[in-house]
Amino acid sequence: MDELLLRRAQRGDPEAFGQLMEPMEQLVWRVCWHYTGDREASSDCAQDAMIRIWRGLESYRGDCAFESWVYRIAANCCMDWLRKKKRDRSVSMEPMREQGFDPADTSPGTEDQVVAKDERRRLREAIALLPEDQREALVLTQLERVSYEEAARMLDTTEGTVKSRVNRAKARLREILSAEGELSAPGDVKKGERRLRT
């Protein structure tokens, strides 16, 4: 990272900020896509993340890698979006559910596409329930395909710690999904992870 560019951006230079963030834009968008699974939501979250990064840039002191700092802001934007979506969905559907009506998903597509989309949604919701350190390690290494070495650098920890967090995250995902009766075998988590990447 160009330190001079960072200093200029921190002083409020929008051109410097654009240059500083250009290599990060794809990372921000991909992180938002992995968390939301929705193009419009990904764009909204990515835009929100860029605004938060711009507003908070002055507070960045280099205590962690800049890429890691950017990643965490993007992930936090997505977590806010997921919480709001869950809250909104539960509020808007509650009156109908109280009267015994629970509408089926009528979105177009083959049955396999609908099932796959539903599995990806459930897996994303399960990932959102993971502790932050496990969630970050899982998303970076399993979805972003970042190496353990690179993830360790981004998260300011060791490779061994990243591997441990990923293993704990996978075990926790199996517990969450099994408790919901959505998995028939532990191997189905792998299948779900593959679908999450599509």
Side-chain angles (χ1 to χ4, degrees), residues 4 21 32 97 112 114 146 176-177 197:
L4 182 59
M21 291 306 297
C32 293
R97 286 198 180 107
D112 285 347
V114 172
V146 168
I176 293 168
L177 295 172
R197 290 195 294 271

Side-chain angles (χ1 to χ4, degrees), residues 1-180:
M1 181 185 59
D2 186 328
E3 292 292 330
L4 182 59
L5 208 55
L6 173 63
R7 298 293 168 252
R8 283 175 49 207
Q10 286 180 316
R11 288 194 297 268
D13 182 339
E15 186 179 332
F17 179 73
Q19 291 175 25
L20 182 70
M21 291 306 297
E22 189 175 351
M24 303 284 175
E25 286 176 1
Q26 281 300 313
L27 169 68
V28 170
W29 195 90
R30 284 195 321 268
V31 166
C32 293
W33 168 254
H34 287 315
Y35 273 92
T36 67
D38 178 276
R39 287 192 183 282
E40 188 176 339
S42 298
S43 295
D44 289 347
C45 287
Q47 187 174 19
D48 185 28
M50 295 298 271
I51 291 168
R52 290 191 198 183
I53 291 164
W54 169 251
R55 289 178 178 164
L57 193 58
E58 195 177 339
S59 68
Y60 175 70
R61 293 286 174 258
D63 299 334
C64 62
F66 184 68
E67 195 174 22
S68 174
W69 185 76
V70 166
Y71 167 84
R72 285 186 171 144
I73 290 174
N76 285 338
C77 288
C78 295
M79 293 306 297
D80 290 346
W81 180 85
L82 286 167
R83 281 189 286 268
K84 183 179 185 303
K85 182 182 177 189
K86 190 172 183 179
R87 191 169 57 245
D88 290 350
R89 185 172 59 210
S90 115
V91 168
S92 65
M93 294 298 296
E94 199 54 41
M96 292 196 293
R97 286 198 180 107
E98 286 174 0
Q99 296 177 14
F101 178 69
D102 195 9
D105 183 3
T106 56
S107 57
T110 66
E111 185 177 345
D112 285 347
Q113 288 173 325
V114 172
V115 168
K117 185 176 179 180
D118 190 50
E119 285 180 0
R120 287 194 302 269
R121 178 189 58 78
R122 281 182 256 184
L123 187 56
R124 281 190 180 91
E125 288 176 354
I127 288 172
L129 296 174
L130 294 172
E132 183 179 2
D133 60 343
Q134 293 177 21
R135 186 174 63 244
E136 288 177 341
L138 184 83
V139 169
L140 283 172
T141 62
Q142 306 302 298
L143 303 179
E144 278 295 299
R145 294 301 190 193
V146 168
S147 70
Y148 284 101
E149 181 182 4
E150 180 68 6
R153 188 187 67 76
M154 288 177 67
L155 300 175
D156 196 27
T157 188
T158 65
E159 277 188 66
T161 299
V162 172
K163 289 177 182 176
S164 173
R165 289 174 183 174
V166 169
N167 289 335
R168 288 199 310 270
K170 287 180 177 180
R172 182 67 187 127
L173 280 179
R174 286 187 186 94
E175 289 173 14
I176 293 168
L177 295 172
S178 293
E180 295 173 4

